[in-house]
Amino acid sequence: MSPAKRAAEVSGLYVRFVGDAEVLEHIVERREGAKVPKGSVQKLLALKEDQGPQECEGSVGEQDYLDALGTGATAGEEDGGGGGGGSSGPGGSAVFTFQTAKRSHKMAQMASEMARAPGRTVTFCSPGSPEAAGSPSRGSRGAAGETRTPPKVRPTGGRGRDVRSPAGESWASRLNSFLPQGRKVRFVSSTPHRLRKRLAAPNLRSESDSDLSPSHSEDEEDDDEEEREEKEELREAELTTPSKVAAAALYRTPAKKPKKGLEPSLVEEYFTAHASSKVTTSDRTLQKLQTPKLDQETLARLLDGKPSSYADEINQLNKEHEKFFSKWMLQLQLGFNVLLYGLGSKKPLLERFRTSRLLGVTHLVVNGFFPSITLKSILNSITVEVLEHQGSFRSPVEQMDFIMKSLRQDPSLQVYLVIHNIDGPMLRSEKTQQALGQLASLTNVHVLASIDHINAPLVWDQAKLSLFNWLWYETTTYLPYAEETSYENSLLVQQSGALALSSLTHVLRSLTPNARGIFRLLAEFQLESRDNPSYSGLSFQEFYQRCREAFLVNSDVTLRTQLTEFRDHKLIRTKKGADSVEYLLIPVDPATLTDFLEKEDAQ
Amino acid sequence: SGLNHYAISLQEDLNKKMLDGLLEFVKKSAASFWCRDDDWMSRMRASEIPTAALVLGVNMPDHTITFESMTELLHDSLTPFVASVQAKECTAMKQLMQKVLQRLMGTNVMVDEDEAEADLGFHTRDCPQKRVNCSLSALCDWYQSATKKSPVKSPRKRLSSSQSEFLQSPPVVVIFRDLEAFSPQVLQDFILVCSQYVHQLPLVFIFGIATSPSTIQRMLPHSVSSLLCIELFQSLSCTQHLATIIDKLFLTSKFHFKFSAKVLQVLVGIFLYHDFSVCNFIKGLQLSLLEHFHSQPLSVLCCHKQEALVHAQQLNDRDVERIQQLPSFMRYVEEQVPEEQVQLLTSSEHVKGVCQKLLKSLHKYHKNFYPALRCLHVLTSILPKYPLGKQIRELYVLCLEKKVWETQEYDSAMQLIRMLAKDELVTCLQKCVEILTFCKSKKLKKYTLYASTIKCINHLHHPYSSFNYSFQTLLEMKECRRTRRKTPYEILRNAVVDYIDNLVKTHLYPPESQPLYEVWYYSSSGTVRRHLNATPRTSIQTALSHPYCYLQNDSGIISSAAPDICIIYKLHLECGRLINLYDWLEAYATVATAAEGKDPSAIEGGKVDELKHARFIRAVSELEFLGFVKSTKQKTDHVARLTWGGC
């Protein structure tokens, strides 16, 4: 007996080979027992579990889990495979499918499709099914593809509806699940495209090229196009007339094996899509919009008080969650901490919990989504507000120790921490989570938190999870993340500039006239060259020259000191150019800058 | 309410039991460790530092308890000088030194603060504050003075903890909780420095190792590791730990709360495939206890027999109604004669009476179930390929799920038992007898009767064993096989197997067959899984792609339009890695317009109504907030997708 073996025996460890199938079985419990009637009812039942009979709850929960996790074994199948219309449950394969292929303009196409059939179920026939193959393409086009006939497709006008892209099969199936029941429309998704392509491919492509800006060489694009075309042709060949088979044969490169359209290798697809850095999207920008960019206030004004189409249902959903309140309270008191996840803002829910249950007790609300929240501020509010300690601490570690010590000493003091978005950008760091975990592990600290980011669970490792001792609750609310997103610097939201302007003037006012002059010089130069797209800033040497000419500085050391001060206040940004020369830039948009200069002039 | 209180107390009870088990285990390891230490003491003068390498398994959080109780134990029984350090607080040599000194001297201050003012206090006070003093020589000085003082304080100590007197020079123990996480350089330096002081300071190290002992070799070069005298200690593996817990908590009629097969499978699955954490398993148990007592009002009946009977008598009308609605009770009613059925459905007093009877039988059923289960396990766990599972929990789950004797595995197991050799069978049967005598049930009489039969087997066998071994040739073997069929051993073995079979068939009915089993069994595996092993991302994506799963009104009619964010999400799924915001907005506007019942072709390029624009902005920023897209500088007015495909 080898020593290793003996050691293993002594310790009583044993190693067993676990086959994939076995693992799968463990992870995905097979459906068994009474099948819950397939349909959309099940989720609601799961939420209503309190009332339902116990047994039913169990099976529903199971099913629910299954559906949510995905029937791993059948993940390969096309998500539209069910084909039973919009009523099929949220099968895992539907949630986690890979894109069939990356295609330009697909979105627009899908949009038009969705727009055309709102509230209608679209039965999708997979191209592999005999029905689809057999059905005459023209006839089916008549049913669904009315707006997609070439004349309407080609013009540069109706962009929202153009369907120039090679059609995929997947969107239709997804659409399937998207649109609930109603009038049934059947169509063969790939047909119109094929038809169109056959009819007008060269013409169309030259047009679409003008609108597409490949961020890579043309050749590649062509290759890509050709490859795609080839695939399409192959698929066609499988489906349609022999004459096309001949045509396809011309295209086919001998090395390429015909892809089975139904089950493309997911891995391969991923790598084909991510292999090159090229991305093809249209060049249109938001500048083309006639409506101007909206600022935060307009946005709030517009959205305020506009009821969503689902107000009733959402209300009902949230009422369901409120039934958990007493349970949460009990579980919190028993040493668990409660974590809420699911789509939709959970802030109102937590607020209601707070106002209904926590009013009499010590509690602290942390807005984790706030962009400038820090661990220090959280700890400070605990020491100052909760523990009423008026000292300062040298380091957060010391402060933590103090908090832990004083809370341990006084077990009668129960502190409830309500943390909105414990996965907030400022709380994600390892140290912060560790500290929060240590707090949560205290017996008299009870944490109720929410997460929203899809990768939020990655914040915790095994050790932290054991500190937090979470109980997870799915609370999908569908409420808008109004407050949470208001701090985000969205691309779309016009920075009103009000803040930037006021900070500019504030800082500038506290500076010497010379410094103000220096800044002004830079601002004016930047405004002069606003039309120059390649403007990257004013080089330091040139700036120094100008400043000297204006008698603002007498040495470059003075200028540098001044610039450091600007930089500290985030008034300017420096960038090293290709020639390793420093370029200076004011990171404010031209409009604000003009405003600022006007204001300065007025004074 | 009282129910909750009951749940809490039961929970505490269970926890205590488990903690005790753990403590026992630690004590054992510590005891063996300190036996060793005596040897080490004699080697103290050698320049090697005695080191205990504790291999504890990969689940680090579970170790915390182990270390805490170990520290406490050491502190109580052997030495006041214990310092436990973790890697994350010691990233550099200086910090490590500081922590070690602080903990060693700090604890001492706590112990005799009042009397050791004079010379001890001056060291302890100064050292942690003045970092200049943070050196091992300072520690040596302190140690000398502390041990010199120890005769003075030992009587006091003895009074307080009634422990055997500390050794004349108690060892200084430094525990490295997570060896793997320490920086090798820091560790090497520390060991090198310590080895210089080993003559003045009886140092002992304890390394907590998660992976394998070879870590030490990997982290420390030979020159350093040769300074250590390493002794290896292997802790109980976590699977064994789990087996003990299941054995002590579930395979006994002492505790009445039970898991259904599904729940047990879920928890064991989480354990085996996710974290190997016994703590998490216990957490799952706590959760299910809580859920059971919170959601099942009839769980008042889940307690000791006498109590349960009293509770059953006090049931109110609603509870009686609940009992009548239990599926298992309904099945029971159906089996009764019509008059009885009427009685059971109408008279609540009668139901209470029957309920008491059923509770008694439930108790009895469990009393018999577990010994039978154990016997079956003893017999089947030695069979090749373990047809009914190697661990008793596998067999248990099988028995919970269905009638075990109807499975194919059971048949093959029985066949294999029929082929067992004499000595194997006898050992097994003896174990069975032990089990059966251990559980003092009423059946015992039956079993003692049976045990005497087994004794018979023993007697009968002796002549035949010699018979079997004496003939070795093939022909004789053949003949022997033929004759053996008729041997008394064969006959007895068949009788034994038949008896076991009978035992299984009478006692190992799945609990579902018992009326009122819902009172004891917690079966909502979905809840447990959702709360312990949640999949937030799946939930979000389901909500986005299938909003109707969540949004339903009472009438069951689903309105056509989906929430904005769902539309936006759907559209973004169709894109590559970059998404043009303008196109996205247009696409959204098209859908939204159509949803309002207007003709989507009415909107002209570039003209998007303000409200839709605002809604679009909100939805996109929500997607950004959720982590599906992020802004990018690669192209103007584009965002980057952060997920691939549908996931």
Side-chain angles (χ1 to χ4, degrees):
Chain A
M1 199 190 271
S2 71
K5 210 170 172 184
R6 205 177 308 137
E9 266 192 24
V10 168
S11 64
L13 285 169
Y14 68 97
V15 179
R16 186 162 67 103
F17 174 74
V18 182
D20 281 356
E22 229 174 313
V23 175
L24 199 69
E25 212 178 297
H26 252 273
I27 300 168
V28 186
E29 260 176 64
R30 281 164 304 185
R31 297 174 188 226
E32 47 194 303
K35 265 204 173 174
V36 178
K38 253 203 156 189
S40 35
V41 208
Q42 56 193 48
K43 203 73 184 197
L44 198 73
L45 258 180
L47 291 167
K48 272 186 181 166
E49 61 193 14
D50 268 4
Q51 311 153 323
Q54 203 68 13
E55 226 182 31
C56 176
E57 183 207 328
S59 65
V60 171
E62 205 63 44
Q63 184 86 11
D64 187 33
Y65 177 70
L66 256 185
D67 285 335
L69 231 192
T71 36
T74 57
E77 69 178 37
E78 289 263 332
D79 50 6
S87 65
S88 74
S93 51
V95 180
F96 291 122
T97 37
F98 285 79
Q99 228 180 348
T100 36
K102 187 191 75 194
R103 309 232 159 104
S104 54
H105 289 286
K106 231 172 144 192
M107 191 160 65
Q109 186 186 358
M110 177 168 174
S112 70
E113 211 42 63
M114 279 161 72
R116 205 168 308 125
R120 273 172 286 160
T121 307
V122 182
T123 323
F124 165 65
C125 303
S126 75
S129 77
E131 194 191 357
S135 67
S137 48
R138 263 150 237 268
S140 57
R141 182 170 52 83
E146 222 82 76
T147 47
R148 287 204 284 179
T149 47
K152 270 211 157 182
V153 169
R154 227 183 297 161
T156 40
R159 270 188 205 106
R161 282 160 290 118
D162 63 1
V163 267
R164 260 168 281 163
S165 73
E169 274 79 28
S170 75
W171 60 268
S173 52
R174 254 172 234 161
L175 192 58
N176 222 0
S177 51
F178 188 76
L179 292 166
Q181 280 177 336
R183 188 149 59 90
K184 291 207 170 190
V185 176
R186 200 205 301 152
F187 65 97
V188 178
S189 62
S190 51
T191 313
H193 157 66
R194 236 182 283 129
L195 189 81
R196 191 199 66 235
K197 194 147 194 172
R198 235 177 292 135
L199 293 177
N203 187 10
L204 189 77
R205 195 131 59 91
S206 61
E207 265 191 24
S208 72
D209 276 353
S210 67
D211 215 24
L212 292 174
S213 85
S215 52
H216 55 92
S217 76
E218 282 296 316
D219 298 11
E220 269 178 342
E221 157 79 5
D222 278 352
D223 284 351
D224 192 39
E225 278 281 333
E226 234 164 69
E227 209 173 277
R228 236 188 282 148
E229 217 165 287
E230 182 186 304
K231 270 188 225 160
E232 287 294 327
E233 290 290 349
L234 283 176
R235 232 173 269 163
E236 263 173 66
E238 281 167 19
L239 295 172
T240 48
T241 55
S243 68
K244 238 154 277 137
V245 177
L250 288 176
Y251 278 94
R252 188 183 302 180
T253 48
K256 188 128 183 170
K257 283 181 94 181
K259 256 195 181 175
K260 289 278 177 203
L262 275 181
E263 280 187 87
S265 157
L266 304 177
V267 182
E268 264 176 46
E269 275 197 7
Y270 177 84
F271 285 110
T272 27
H274 283 241
S276 63
S277 58
K278 65 188 171 166
V279 182
T280 321
T281 47
S282 79
D283 258 349
R284 293 173 297 187
T285 59
L286 291 172
Q287 298 292 330
K288 289 198 182 186
L289 275 181
Q290 290 177 3
T291 36
K293 272 191 168 187
L294 302 173
D295 59 41
Q296 198 64 253
E297 275 170 38
T298 341
L299 194 67
R301 179 175 52 77
L302 281 170
L303 293 173
D304 193 37
K306 293 285 185 300
S308 102
S309 49
Y310 274 98
D312 289 345
E313 288 89 338
I314 289 173
N315 258 339
Q316 199 183 337
L317 197 63
N318 285 303
K319 285 266 159 29
E320 293 292 330
H321 297 318
E322 280 177 37
K323 286 180 189 152
F324 287 120
F325 280 1
S326 64
K327 204 170 181 181
W328 290 349
M329 205 60 200
L330 175 69
Q331 282 167 341
L332 286 173
Q333 276 159 1
L334 288 178
F336 292 105
N337 294 310
V338 172
L339 184 68
L340 310 183
Y341 65 90
L343 183 68
S345 174
K346 288 160 282 291
K347 194 163 184 289
L349 188 71
L350 283 174
E351 262 316 287
R352 274 202 299 283
F353 177 77
R354 190 182 71 83
T355 46
S356 65
R357 307 275 159 163
L358 296 180
L359 277 187
V361 290
T362 320
H363 63 268
L364 184 73
V365 179
V366 179
N367 288 329
F369 51 81
F370 194 68
S372 62
I373 192 158
T374 55
L375 177 64
K376 200 168 156 28
S377 59
I378 299 172
L379 295 182
N380 276 342
S381 33
I382 292 177
T383 47
V384 177
E385 314 272 333
V386 179
L387 302 172
E388 284 160 5
H389 172 86
Q390 299 298 335
S392 60
F393 297 92
R394 264 179 296 175
S395 68
V397 180
E398 196 183 322
Q399 199 166 3
M400 270 307 294
D401 289 343
F402 173 78
I403 293 171
M404 308 256 295
K405 213 176 105 194
S406 26
L407 282 174
R408 275 206 191 104
Q409 275 167 359
D410 183 10
S412 62
L413 179 67
Q414 302 283 319
V415 182
Y416 287 82
L417 272 178
V418 179
I419 306 177
H420 302 294
N421 280 99
I422 198 167
D423 60 340
M426 289 305 288
L427 301 181
R428 275 175 209 166
S429 75
E430 209 262 334
K431 269 187 186 151
T432 315
Q433 290 294 335
Q434 178 71 33
L436 288 176
Q438 277 172 333
L439 278 180
S441 66
L442 291 173
T443 46
N444 46 351
V445 175
H446 312 287
V447 180
L448 192 74
S450 67
I451 53 168
D452 280 303
H453 198 276
I454 43 170
N455 295 327
L458 300 180
V459 169
W460 302 301
D461 57 12
Q462 208 47 256
K464 287 194 200 70
L465 279 179
S466 78
L467 283 177
F468 276 112
N469 200 19
W470 290 127
L471 284 185
W472 301 68
Y473 273 88
E474 180 177 347
T475 52
T476 304
T477 63
Y478 279 102
L479 294 175
Y481 292 103
E483 194 165 344
E484 286 94 327
T485 51
S486 63
Y487 298 107
E488 228 170 304
N489 282 328
S490 173
L491 263 181
L492 292 155
V493 182
Q494 164 98 52
Q495 289 307 317
S496 63
L499 193 70
L501 194 61
S502 70
S503 60
L504 268 187
T505 39
H506 260 290
V507 175
L508 261 288
R509 210 164 290 157
S510 61
L511 292 177
T512 59
N514 263 10
R516 254 181 277 170
I518 294 171
F519 188 78
R520 203 190 162 84
L521 206 72
L522 187 60
E524 273 164 0
F525 185 79
Q526 189 162 330
L527 279 179
E528 274 166 31
S529 45
R530 67 200 284 183
D531 295 326
N532 179 8
S534 61
Y535 173 75
S536 61
L538 185 59
S539 73
F540 179 77
Q541 276 313 319
E542 202 182 334
F543 191 32
Y544 175 54
Q545 212 54 49
R546 278 162 188 264
C547 287
R548 263 177 74 109
E549 278 161 18
F551 298 107
L552 291 168
V553 293
N554 51 13
S555 74
D556 65 343
V557 181
T558 338
L559 181 58
R560 272 194 198 283
T561 329
Q562 201 55 62
L563 289 180
T564 316
E565 193 164 349
F566 287 159
R567 202 160 30 216
D568 288 347
H569 287 103
K570 301 209 167 59
L571 288 180
I572 60 161
R573 217 170 40 203
T574 52
K575 201 158 58 175
K576 276 252 163 69
D579 43 359
S580 81
V581 176
E582 252 185 305
Y583 287 99
L584 307 164
L585 201 66
I586 304 176
V588 176
D589 58 333
T592 318
L593 213 53
T594 326
D595 277 354
F596 164 71
L597 286 182
E598 276 166 11
K599 238 182 170 176
E600 283 286 289
D601 288 340
Q603 277 186 357
Chain B
S1 67
L3 202 71
N4 294 335
H5 187 72
Y6 179 63
I8 298 163
S9 67
L10 190 59
Q11 227 175 339
E12 277 168 359
D13 191 24
L14 289 175
N15 280 337
K16 192 167 165 289
K17 206 172 147 52
M18 281 172 280
L19 268 178
D20 281 351
L22 200 70
L23 213 77
E24 199 55 43
F25 146 73
V26 175
K27 248 182 209 158
K28 227 184 288 166
S29 71
S32 59
F33 166 62
W34 285 112
C35 290
R36 289 273 157 197
D37 190 69
D38 287 339
D39 299 2
W40 294 356
M41 295 303 274
S42 60
R43 279 191 247 150
M44 242 350 166
R45 296 298 136 200
S47 62
E48 287 179 343
I49 306 174
T51 305
L54 287 172
V55 182
L56 289 164
V58 286
N59 195 289
M60 309 287 286
D62 280 15
H63 304 167
T64 319
I65 309 170
T66 318
F67 278 117
E68 268 165 18
S69 40
M70 185 163 73
T71 315
E72 205 171 303
L73 211 67
L74 291 176
H75 207 274
D76 283 353
S77 54
L78 254 146
T79 167
F81 313 126
V82 183
S84 163
V85 286
Q86 271 176 302
K88 64 168 185 281
E89 46 192 27
C90 316
T91 45
M93 179 67 184
K94 199 173 95 181
Q95 285 158 306
L96 175 60
M97 206 63 129
Q98 196 188 334
K99 290 278 172 213
V100 169
L101 263 69
Q102 212 169 355
R103 297 214 172 132
L104 283 175
M105 299 168 166
T107 49
N108 204 303
V109 178
M110 296 278 223
V111 170
D112 42 24
E113 209 162 12
D114 44 351
E115 59 174 352
E117 283 285 89
D119 60 352
L120 207 70
F122 120 85
H123 279 287
T124 48
R125 275 191 184 166
D126 290 352
C127 282
Q129 278 151 24
K130 284 191 194 167
R131 286 175 199 183
V132 198
N133 276 353
C134 261
S135 69
L136 270 183
S137 59
L139 185 68
C140 282
D141 293 343
W142 167 81
Y143 181 76
Q144 296 297 336
S145 58
T147 43
K148 241 180 261 164
K149 273 194 84 77
S150 72
V152 186
K153 69 174 181 189
S154 57
R156 192 165 160 265
K157 193 82 195 168
R158 217 180 300 152
L159 275 177
S160 61
S161 56
S162 73
Q163 290 287 342
S164 59
E165 199 178 341
F166 286 144
L167 296 160
Q168 194 54 48
S169 50
V172 176
V173 182
V174 182
I175 301 175
F176 298 85
R177 285 198 185 192
D178 38 1
L179 186 76
E180 279 94 342
F182 276 92
S183 115
Q185 197 52 52
V186 170
L187 211 60
Q188 285 168 27
D189 289 349
F190 187 73
I191 292 169
L192 280 172
V193 172
C194 285
S195 71
Q196 299 299 312
Y197 288 89
V198 88
H199 296 281
Q200 299 149 49
L201 213 59
L203 279 165
V204 176
F205 290 162
I206 298 178
F207 291 162
I209 298 171
T211 51
S212 84
S214 64
T215 321
I216 301 176
Q217 272 84 39
R218 227 177 314 122
M219 286 182 74
L220 306 173
H222 180 73
S223 58
V224 177
S225 62
S226 63
L227 295 171
L228 303 173
C229 170
I230 300 169
E231 195 85 12
L232 192 66
F233 294 92
Q234 190 100 32
S235 80
L236 214 62
S237 80
C238 53
T239 41
Q240 275 171 308
H241 203 146
L242 179 76
T244 324
I245 284 179
I246 290 181
D247 190 71
K248 286 270 147 56
L249 291 176
F250 295 107
L251 304 180
T252 165
S253 47
K254 220 161 94 212
F255 294 104
H256 305 295
F257 174 80
K258 306 283 177 202
F259 282 147
S260 75
K262 275 263 177 64
V263 180
L264 191 59
Q265 270 172 328
V266 165
L267 286 179
V268 171
I270 291 176
F271 177 84
L272 289 178
Y273 296 98
H274 284 94
D275 51 14
F276 281 124
S277 166
V278 177
C279 286
N280 276 355
F281 184 84
I282 292 169
K283 179 181 161 193
L285 172 68
Q286 288 171 342
L287 173 70
S288 353
L289 262 172
L290 184 65
E291 287 280 327
H292 183 64
F293 287 104
H294 187 259
S295 60
Q296 171 66 279
L298 292 175
S299 53
V300 279
L301 300 176
C302 175
C303 50
H304 291 291
K305 199 158 136 191
Q306 299 311 323
E307 258 178 274
L309 293 181
V310 173
H311 283 306
Q313 199 53 55
Q314 290 163 352
L315 289 178
N316 57 27
D317 287 348
R318 273 196 68 191
D319 289 331
V320 170
E321 219 167 88
R322 284 196 188 102
I323 286 183
Q324 282 166 337
Q325 279 161 2
L326 287 180
S328 67
F329 191 79
M330 272 145 81
R331 272 200 297 276
Y332 171 77
V333 171
E334 274 163 29
E335 287 161 11
Q336 306 303 313
V337 287
E339 302 91 71
E340 177 73 7
Q341 283 189 3
V342 174
Q343 279 271 300
L344 281 174
L345 292 176
T346 49
S347 153
S348 70
E349 278 310 307
H350 186 68
V351 171
K352 280 180 197 173
V354 170
C355 181
Q356 285 177 328
K357 199 185 85 195
L358 290 176
L359 279 174
K360 271 184 205 159
S361 82
L362 196 63
H363 278 268
K364 207 174 129 206
Y365 159 79
H366 281 101
K367 236 175 216 171
N368 294 332
F369 185 89
Y370 297 109
L373 182 77
R374 279 170 205 272
C375 286
L376 184 61
H377 177 67
V378 163
L379 281 165
T380 54
S381 60
I382 52 155
L383 299 175
K385 283 191 181 172
Y386 311 106
L388 290 175
K390 194 180 181 187
Q391 304 278 339
I392 194 162
R393 60 162 190 267
E394 294 165 62
L395 182 64
Y396 181 50
V397 167
L398 207 65
C399 292
L400 286 179
E401 263 178 343
K402 51 195 164 203
K403 291 173 182 161
V404 67
W405 60 90
E406 283 173 359
T407 59
Q408 217 180 344
E409 291 85 9
Y410 180 79
D411 286 343
S412 60
M414 282 299 140
Q415 260 164 11
L416 284 169
I417 293 176
R418 277 178 212 273
M419 286 189 274
L420 274 185
K422 185 210 72 187
D423 38 356
E424 280 177 318
L425 187 66
V426 170
T427 14
C428 286
L429 287 176
Q430 271 160 354
K431 272 189 214 160
C432 288
V433 173
E434 272 168 37
I435 291 168
L436 295 173
T437 33
F438 182 71
C439 4
K440 291 165 187 158
S441 76
K442 280 176 192 165
K443 287 189 303 172
L444 199 64
K445 274 177 212 156
K446 230 188 324 177
Y447 283 121
T448 41
L449 199 89
Y450 183 64
S452 60
T453 355
I454 294 166
K455 291 269 160 53
C456 282
I457 308 177
N458 275 330
H459 287 299
L460 281 167
H461 280 333
H462 287 292
Y464 289 97
S465 56
S466 55
F467 169 77
N468 278 345
Y469 289 123
S470 55
F471 298 93
Q472 291 296 319
T473 59
L474 203 73
L475 261 174
E476 276 157 345
M477 281 298 281
K478 255 186 189 172
E479 204 174 353
C480 164
R481 213 180 290 165
R482 206 184 304 146
T483 47
R484 247 204 292 174
R485 229 165 256 168
K486 293 158 199 163
T487 60
Y489 170 64
E490 283 286 341
I491 295 162
L492 266 171
R493 189 167 60 185
N494 279 345
V496 166
V497 174
D498 288 344
Y499 186 84
I500 299 283
D501 193 37
N502 189 30
L503 192 75
V504 167
K505 281 179 185 165
T506 41
H507 296 305
L508 287 186
Y509 264 97
E512 274 89 348
S513 64
Q514 300 296 315
L516 292 186
Y517 86 96
E518 288 96 337
V519 169
W520 283 23
Y521 281 81
Y522 178 71
S523 56
S524 174
S525 59
T527 317
V528 172
R529 206 195 297 245
R530 268 201 304 277
H531 291 332
L532 293 181
N533 197 12
T535 48
R537 188 165 164 179
T538 320
S539 149
I540 289 175
Q541 269 167 333
T542 314
L544 284 171
S545 49
H546 307 277
Y548 53 83
C549 294
Y550 293 91
L551 297 174
Q552 273 184 330
N553 48 21
D554 294 322
S555 55
I557 302 163
I558 305 157
S559 70
S560 59
D564 289 336
I565 188 166
C566 300
I567 300 173
I568 292 288
Y569 173 75
K570 283 275 171 182
L571 291 170
H572 116 286
L573 283 184
E574 303 304 317
C575 293
R577 275 176 304 142
L578 288 186
I579 306 172
N580 185 317
L581 280 172
Y582 181 82
D583 288 351
W584 204 2
L585 172 60
E586 271 207 333
Y588 167 74
T590 316
V591 177
T593 319
E596 284 165 7
K598 289 179 206 149
D599 183 10
S601 55
I603 29 166
E604 290 304 310
K607 263 190 194 162
V608 179
D609 127 49
E610 241 187 2
L611 179 62
K612 277 198 199 72
H613 191 180
R615 278 162 61 185
F616 173 75
I617 290 172
R618 182 174 64 186
V620 171
S621 20
E622 280 173 0
L623 272 197
E624 190 177 351
F625 181 67
L626 290 172
F628 284 102
V629 294
K630 68 167 188 188
S631 59
T632 173
K633 291 261 156 63
Q634 278 183 40
K635 226 173 154 185
T636 17
D637 286 339
H638 274 63
V639 288
R641 258 189 89 173
L642 297 176
T643 53
W644 157 247
C647 46

